[in-house]
Amino acid sequence: MKREGAIFIISAPSGAGKTTLCKEIIDIFPALRHSVSYTTRAPRAGEVHGKDYFFVTPDEFRRMVAEGEFAEWAEVHGNCYGTAIRTLEECRTNGVDVILDIDIQGARQLKERYQGGVYIFILPPSYDELRRRLNGRSSDSDEVISRRIDAAAGEIRESRWYDYVIVNDQFPRAVEELKSIVIAERCRTFRVLEAVTELFDIGTAD
Ligand code: ADP
Ligand code: 5GP
């Protein structure tokens, strides 16, 4: 059935596991597309330009901001990150569901702009476990890890205005919860109403 594309916005303190969860959910739902952000941060080992991020220079990023190309953008841990309007519009008009792994500042900007977005916050089971995961990822320096831990409490406070909260303790359970949200959100009346109205010739509501 024809359906309006859903925008899933996922935020979490760095290290809570949202990249891992997003990859898993995209494997489960191949029609769900990952929105590739632009960033001024340097690629980590194994990251691919155009797949994980579009890695751009600060000058190029500033140009995109000046020309209004971003639906949202923010400075996170000293680097700039942004979601292009074009990426979201393409998905919306083609009825494609899209998943955004973005920080809280960006999520707030989108909440003002896009009605119908689905806001999901991923929590780690504890601060200790968050530190363990950041250390285990071994992609960031000790200084960067400490900065990310310091930022976590303030970020977690923001979880209260999200639509859903998932505690990523046991990974398979967190995946089940995320899967359930995607499935339920796809059935929301407002996403299918136009198709139902056409299919069953029921006319519009009074
Ligand atoms: P984020 O994108 O939120 O910064 P990542 O997805 O990179 O976090 O995960 C951080 C680290 O934690 C990775 O090494 C990942 O494999 C690990 N991880 C993710 N989820 C879990 C989990 N439920 N239990 C244990 N380790 C996890
Ligand atoms: P990382 O450098 O670990 O990939 O990401 C750091 C933070 O930037 C994460 O919280 C991630 O969600 C956020 N981020 C990634 N892309 C975007 C984006 O396009 N916009 C915003 N606002 N944040 C982003």
Side-chain angles (χ1 to χ4, degrees), residues 28-114:
I28 294 170
F29 298 109
L32 192 58
R33 192 176 304 165
H34 163 63
S35 158
V36 181
S37 297
Y38 288 76
T39 184
T40 58
R41 141 164 111 56
R44 296 190 182 116
E47 284 185 331
V48 176
H49 180 81
K51 181 168 170 277
D52 298 288
Y53 283 104
F54 293 109
F55 297 98
V56 295
T57 61
D59 275 352
E60 173 62 1
F61 197 93
R62 272 193 289 273
R63 186 201 61 75
M64 292 181 74
V65 172
E67 293 184 12
E69 293 186 24
F70 288 122
E72 63 75 32
W73 73 273
E75 192 179 321
V76 188
H77 309 303
N79 291 298
C80 291
Y81 297 83
T83 308
I85 292 173
R86 205 189 42 200
T87 308
L88 299 187
E89 291 308 326
E90 271 172 18
C91 290
R92 222 162 50 159
T93 52
N94 296 326
V96 171
D97 296 329
V98 65
I99 193 155
L100 272 64
D101 165 350
I102 65 174
D103 92 311
I104 293 142
Q105 307 168 74
R108 264 194 188 284
Q109 292 170 40
L110 283 183
K111 197 154 172 100
E112 284 156 23
R113 183 167 197 151
Y114 283 99

Side-chain angles (χ1 to χ4, degrees), residues 170-186:
Q170 297 306 313
F171 188 71
R173 209 200 52 206
V175 171
E176 271 310 295
E177 291 181 359
L178 187 51
K179 230 171 100 178
S180 309
I181 294 167
V182 171
I183 293 169
E185 285 291 339
R186 284 177 163 177

Side-chain angles (χ1 to χ4, degrees), residues 101-179:
D101 165 350
I102 65 174
D103 92 311
I104 293 142
Q105 307 168 74
R108 264 194 188 284
Q109 292 170 40
L110 283 183
K111 197 154 172 100
E112 284 156 23
R113 183 167 197 151
Y114 283 99
Q115 299 299 316
V118 183
Y119 294 81
I120 305 167
F121 201 95
I122 312 294
L123 284 174
S126 65
Y127 286 118
D128 284 348
E129 177 60 15
L130 186 64
R131 186 178 290 280
R132 261 194 296 279
R133 288 184 192 171
L134 284 168
N135 281 321
R137 194 165 64 180
S138 63
S139 55
D140 298 302
S141 67
D142 288 351
E143 192 209 322
V144 167
I145 290 177
S146 292
R147 253 201 338 251
R148 291 185 173 201
I149 297 280
D150 289 348
E155 291 168 347
I156 291 169
R157 201 169 297 123
E158 296 288 315
S159 62
R160 56 186 73 161
W161 60 263
Y162 279 69
D163 298 316
Y164 298 95
V165 170
I166 295 175
V167 178
N168 179 21
D169 185 355
Q170 297 306 313
F171 188 71
R173 209 200 52 206
V175 171
E176 271 310 295
E177 291 181 359
L178 187 51
K179 230 171 100 178

Side-chain angles (χ1 to χ4, degrees), residues 4 6 8 27 50 92 99 107-108 120 131 187 191 197 202:
E4 188 180 291
F8 296 94
D27 280 352
R92 222 162 50 159
I99 193 155
R108 264 194 188 284
I120 305 167
R131 186 178 290 280
C187 301
R191 295 192 213 287
T197 305
I202 54 172

